[in-house]
């Protein structure tokens, strides 16, 4: 319980302390995507590493050396918790972003930071929006930015069987095929 409270305090402090940076980026770098990414990526990596340390999570990465360093990658992962993003983002030095449900875009401040790292949002109930998002993701991949997608479409909360999977949606596989990664 103490770690949870400490994590929430760190999150709130981060959002408050970084308000001037956020305001600067929104006002003076509104159309400069590269500047927003250069500033926000290291800051978000730092706070995510702090979350991992505070939570007491030990992270072991196996096979990272097999990931191509010279091209974008499509990461297709099962989604067990919010820590999936917190644990994976700091591990990759190259440009990496996520595909997320559109409801996350409505969270003040948090959504700004996600947008600054290139997060793509889509409405799961709107097929056209899903197609638009896949095209946007393909564009990012062709620009050299790796993309994380969770084909189950939501977090799998089956605590009994940690290896269980929900049915996969087809977007991740369509994206892999079309982007040839």
């Amino acid at each position: 319980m103490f770690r949870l409270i400490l994590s929430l305090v760190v999150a709130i402090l981060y959002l408050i302390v970084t308000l001037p940076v956020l305001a600067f980026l929104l006002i003076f770098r509104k159309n400069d995507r590269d500047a927003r990414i250069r500033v926000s990526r290291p800051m978000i990596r730092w706070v995510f590493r702090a979350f991992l340390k505070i939570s007491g999570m030990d992270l072991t990465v196996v096979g990272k050396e097999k990931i191509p360093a010279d091209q974008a990658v499509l990461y297709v992962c099962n989604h067990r918790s919010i820590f999936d993003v917190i644990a994976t983002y700091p591990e990759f030095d190259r440009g990496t972003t996520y595909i997320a449900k559109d409801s996350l875009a409505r969270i003040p401040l948090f959504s700004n930071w996600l947008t600054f790292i290139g997060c793509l949002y889509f409405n799961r109930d709107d097929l056209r929006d899903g197609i638009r998002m896949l095209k946007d993701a393909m564009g990012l991949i062709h620009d050299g930015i790796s993309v994380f997608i969770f084909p189950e479409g939501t977090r799998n909360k089956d605590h009994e069987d940690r290896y269980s999977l929900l049915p996969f949606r087809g977007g991740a596989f369509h994206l892999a095929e079309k982007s040839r990664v």
Side-chain angles (χ1 to χ4, degrees):
M1 185 62 154
F2 175 73
R3 288 179 190 264
L4 173 64
I5 293 169
L6 189 56
S7 294
L8 290 173
V9 167
V10 167
I12 292 167
L13 285 175
Y14 176 82
L15 292 174
I16 292 170
V17 169
T18 60
L19 272 174
V21 175
L22 185 65
F24 175 81
L25 292 173
L26 286 170
I27 295 168
F28 297 107
R29 297 290 187 241
K30 186 174 185 172
N31 297 320
D32 189 351
R33 180 176 170 253
D34 291 337
R36 292 192 324 247
I37 288 171
R38 270 194 319 275
V39 171
S40 60
R41 278 194 181 136
M43 292 176 70
I44 292 171
R45 274 195 189 101
W46 178 86
V47 77
F48 282 3
R49 284 187 179 115
F51 275 125
L52 292 173
K53 193 164 276 302
I54 290 167
S55 70
M57 181 183 279
D58 287 326
L59 187 62
T60 302
V61 179
V62 178
K64 187 175 175 182
E65 69 282 354
K66 296 178 183 177
I67 299 172
D70 59 340
Q71 68 184 45
V73 176
L74 176 65
Y75 298 98
V76 181
C77 316
N78 67 325
H79 199 7
R80 300 301 291 192
S81 77
I82 189 67
F83 273 97
D84 296 337
V85 174
I86 294 170
T88 55
Y89 191 76
E91 285 299 312
F92 299 97
D93 297 329
R94 69 175 296 114
T96 304
T97 194
Y98 295 83
I99 294 175
K101 59 186 176 181
D102 63 342
S103 61
L104 293 177
R106 289 178 276 215
I107 302 172
L109 303 177
F110 177 73
S111 63
N112 294 104
W113 288 114
L114 288 178
T115 301
F116 285 176
I117 65 166
C119 189
L120 299 174
Y121 304 103
F122 78 105
N123 180 343
R124 292 187 277 192
D125 299 325
D126 184 351
L127 182 61
R128 288 178 196 239
D129 196 42
I131 292 169
R132 178 212 42 89
M133 180 274 309
L134 290 174
K135 287 180 180 177
D136 291 348
M138 258 186 281
L140 288 175
I141 289 169
H142 288 295
D143 289 345
I145 298 171
S146 295
V147 175
F148 271 86
I149 187 168
F150 302 99
E152 294 169 292
T154 191
R155 286 194 307 268
N156 184 346
K157 298 175 183 172
D158 183 355
H159 300 293
E160 299 297 319
D161 181 6
R162 67 182 210 168
Y163 298 109
S164 69
L165 297 173
L166 297 174
F168 283 14
R169 297 172 187 235
F173 303 105
H174 182 74
L175 180 57
E177 180 182 39
K178 293 294 183 186
S179 61
R180 298 183 186 264
V181 295

